[in-house]
Amino acid sequence: MQIYLAEHLTRNRRIQLGGYYTPEKLVNRVYELIKPHLIAKKEDAVVFDSAGGCGAFLVNYESYNYRIADYDKEACGTLVNRFDKNNVFCTNSLVGVKREKFIIPESSYLIMVGNPPYNDTTSEFKKGEKGENQCDPDLFDRDIGISFLRSYYKLRADLVCVLHPLAYLIKETNFNRLREFKDHYRLKTGDIFSSDIFLGTGLTKFPILIALYEKSNRGMTFDYILSCRFNLLERARTFVLADYKTTDGYIEKYPPRKNAPKISPIGLYYYSFRDFNSLKRNASFIAKQIPNAIVVTVENFYKYSYLYALKRLFNPEDSWLYGATDDAIRLKAG
C-alpha cells in the first residue's frame, strides 16, 4: 500500500470516512512549517496525527517522539508494520479524548499534524445513506473535521498544523462552530490550494487550507480572519477576505421564512443556494412553485437576474477559490 493513497477503500467508503490521503508535497509543507518548533522543543515535543491513515505525515518524524492513530483497521495494519507499535493506536480519536489515552505526558509540547476527515455527515455519500460522527458529546458537529479541530483543544495541543477546508474559517457560521478552538488558538500562516489535488473528490472544486495555529490567549475573532493574508500554494498571489464585499443582506439565498409569502405574484422562483459552488451547480429561474424555492417578485427580479448572469459569466482562472466563500457570493471591492 502506498502511504499517500487510500487504495484499500472503495469510493463510497472514502467519502464516508474522509479517507483521501495526502500528496507528498503537502506533507512536506506541513513539515516545513513545524520544523522550527520541533527544533526548539525537540526534547519535550510529541508529534501526533490522530487521523493518520497510512502514516504519510509522520515519515519525517521517526527520530522524534510521535503518536499516530486511525479508526480504519486496515490502515492500522500498515501503521504497525511501519512504525513502533507502542506509538500506534487503532481507535476512534474523537471518543474519550484526553492525553492519557495516547500516552502523552502532560508536560509535553504537543504538535498536531495531519489531514483529518472533513465530511459533512448530513450529505449522502451513497443513495439513501449518510455518514456518521461518533464522538464525545462536547466535540459533536455535523462536519467531522470541525470535531477534530475541537479535539485538539481538548488535548491541549500547543501547535496545530493540519489541512482543512478554508470554509471553516471564512464562513462565519462555520467559524463560530469551532467554539473553544477559535478562542484559544490563533492562525499564524495559511496556504490555500484546490481540492482537485485529491483524486476522486468530484467535479466541484473548493479551497483547502494548510493552516498553522499556535495556542494563544488572544484566540481569533472573525474580524481577524477577514484581515488574514492567505497564500496561494505555489502561486505568487495572496487572498484576503476583507478585499471582497458580499451580497449577503442584499439578496435572499434561502426559502421564505415561516410567515413570509410563498407564492410569487409573477410566477417565478429561484433555487436556493449557500455559496458560489451551489449557485453554479443548481438550476436558476423556475416557473413553478417547488419546496425550498426562493420567491421572485417584481421588486427583487433584478437581483436574481444579476445572479443568473454572474453564474454564467464569472469564470476566472482560479474559480475554485471562490467556490466556498462566505454564505454569500463575494465580489472584489471596487
Side-chain angles (χ1 to χ4, degrees):
M1 180 185 296
Q2 298 184 55
I3 61 174
Y4 300 105
L5 299 175
E7 294 176 325
H8 66 293
L9 298 176
T10 64
R11 180 180 181 276
N12 287 334
R13 192 64 174 157
R14 282 199 302 272
I15 295 172
Q16 185 183 30
L17 295 176
Y20 294 93
Y21 297 156
T22 312
E24 186 174 4
K25 64 180 179 181
L26 302 181
V27 172
N28 290 339
R29 178 56 178 155
V30 169
Y31 180 64
E32 290 174 8
L33 290 172
I34 73 166
K35 187 176 180 180
H37 302 272
L38 271 173
I39 294 173
K41 301 286 186 177
K42 182 171 183 180
E43 298 302 320
D44 300 317
V46 173
V47 183
F48 183 21
D49 186 347
S50 58
C54 292
F57 277 92
L58 291 183
V59 294
N60 292 313
Y61 308 123
E62 290 170 314
S63 63
Y64 294 96
N65 193 357
Y66 65 87
R67 304 288 186 275
I68 187 166
D70 202 272
Y71 190 48
D72 180 0
K73 291 182 179 179
E74 191 165 346
C76 287
T78 299
L79 294 175
V80 296
N81 289 328
R82 180 171 179 79
F83 299 96
D84 184 339
K85 65 180 181 180
N86 295 313
N87 294 334
V88 176
F89 299 83
C90 191
T91 183
N92 182 344
S93 295
L94 298 178
V95 174
V97 177
K98 53 185 177 180
R99 287 194 176 197
E100 182 183 359
K101 177 179 178 178
F102 303 102
I103 319 176
I104 300 172
E106 296 296 329
S107 59
S108 294
Y109 183 87
L110 179 58
I111 304 174
M112 302 300 303
V113 298
N115 181 15
Y118 27 93
N119 177 32
D120 190 325
T121 56
T122 63
S123 302
E124 290 189 2
F125 69 93
K126 189 168 65 174
K127 188 175 181 180
E129 295 185 36
K130 297 185 179 182
E132 184 179 7
N133 185 3
Q134 298 177 342
C135 63
D136 290 345
D138 58 337
L139 300 180
F140 183 80
D141 189 88
R142 67 175 185 267
D143 193 307
I144 297 173
I146 288 179
S147 294
F148 268 95
L149 286 174
R150 290 183 189 171
S151 75
Y152 304 152
Y153 166 71
K154 198 169 181 179
L155 287 168
R156 297 184 305 285
D158 296 281
L159 194 73
V160 175
C161 193
V162 296
L163 280 59
H164 66 67
L166 182 63
Y168 286 3
L169 297 184
I170 67 172
K171 288 188 176 184
E172 190 168 8
T173 52
N174 291 348
F175 178 77
N176 290 331
R177 284 159 53 193
L178 296 175
R179 296 183 184 174
E180 295 90 350
F181 183 83
K182 66 178 177 59
D183 296 332
H184 293 86
Y185 293 88
R186 197 168 183 86
L187 183 70
K188 306 303 291 184
T189 188
D191 297 338
I192 306 174
F193 62 93
S194 173
S195 61
D196 65 359
I197 198 171
F198 297 105
L199 299 177
T201 52
L203 299 177
T204 302
K205 303 174 186 177
F206 59 92
I208 299 176
L209 181 68
I210 303 176
L212 178 69
Y213 299 99
E214 194 166 19
K215 188 162 63 174
S216 169
N217 292 330
R218 293 183 294 169
M220 300 178 289
T221 63
F222 191 65
D223 284 341
Y224 173 79
I225 295 300
L226 286 175
S227 63
C228 281
R229 186 167 297 277
F230 297 97
N231 304 305
L232 268 65
L233 195 66
E234 299 180 342
R235 297 282 299 274
R237 184 184 165 193
T238 59
F239 176 77
V240 181
L241 200 60
D243 289 346
Y244 296 76
K245 60 183 180 180
T246 178
T247 61
D248 202 14
Y250 295 96
I251 302 179
E252 183 56 61
K253 310 183 299 293
Y254 300 111
R257 298 179 184 275
K258 185 176 182 180
N259 297 321
K262 295 180 173 57
I263 298 177
S264 168
I266 59 175
L268 277 181
Y269 302 85
Y270 204 92
Y271 271 92
S272 60
F273 60 95
R274 69 177 182 272
D275 53 30
F276 195 61
N277 271 342
S278 61
L279 178 71
K280 291 192 298 182
R281 184 174 59 248
N282 296 346
S284 299
F285 286 108
I286 45 180
K288 62 179 180 178
Q289 186 181 16
I290 65 169
N292 299 321
I294 302 165
V295 174
V296 179
T297 65
V298 172
E299 293 76 16
N300 67 22
F301 176 75
Y302 76 94
K303 298 179 180 181
Y304 295 99
S305 297
Y306 164 78
L307 290 181
Y308 180 78
L310 178 68
K311 67 180 288 183
R312 289 179 174 272
L313 299 177
F314 184 70
N315 188 31
E317 180 184 358
D318 294 325
S319 59
W320 56 269
L321 181 59
Y322 308 95
T325 49
D326 199 0
D327 285 338
I329 311 306
R330 290 191 171 268
L331 303 175
K332 187 76 171 179

